[in-house]
Amino acid sequence: INGIWVLIPMFENNEDWRKNIPTINIELYGIKEIIADSPEMESRLILAMVKLNGLIHNEDFVFHRKTVFEVISLIEELRDFEQQ
């Protein structure tokens, strides 16, 4: 979650936050095996990855921030499922 949250200050500071997206996606993909038996959680994982990839072409801070928080919420759901 910290790796995703950091995309907000990086955007604000004009840092190259886009380079972090592939690494985050690799880490998210690693969750796939854990949630393989839950189509609902698998759809949340895919949605999180799609939202992250959609940010790559975004230039609007408000949209960027909103999307990062949406992705964090999805990841929290995956984390909670994993801990069950």
Side-chain angles (χ1 to χ4, degrees):
I1 292 176
N2 289 338
I4 298 167
W5 182 87
V6 77
L7 297 175
I8 294 173
M10 288 181 78
F11 185 99
E12 289 177 305
N13 296 327
N14 294 316
E15 297 176 40
D16 187 12
W17 57 270
R18 288 176 177 91
K19 68 180 180 187
N20 293 18
I21 300 293
T23 302
I24 294 168
N25 277 331
I26 289 169
E27 292 171 1
L28 291 176
Y29 193 77
I31 298 171
K32 190 170 175 59
E33 302 244 344
I34 296 168
I35 62 169
D37 295 334
S38 174
E40 182 181 339
M41 289 296 117
E42 192 167 4
S43 69
R44 282 177 170 66
L45 173 63
I46 292 167
L47 183 57
M49 294 173 77
V50 166
K51 285 180 175 285
L52 279 172
N53 288 330
L55 281 178
I56 291 172
H57 302 289
N58 175 59
E59 299 294 330
D60 178 63
F61 176 71
V62 173
F63 179 78
H64 180 86
R65 183 174 169 217
K66 175 183 171 285
T67 303
V68 167
F69 282 120
E70 288 172 355
V71 170
I72 289 171
S73 292
L74 290 166
I75 301 306
E76 287 174 338
E77 289 180 38
L78 294 170
R79 181 196 61 205
D80 294 345
F81 178 81
E82 179 184 13
Q83 293 175 352
Q84 292 180 357

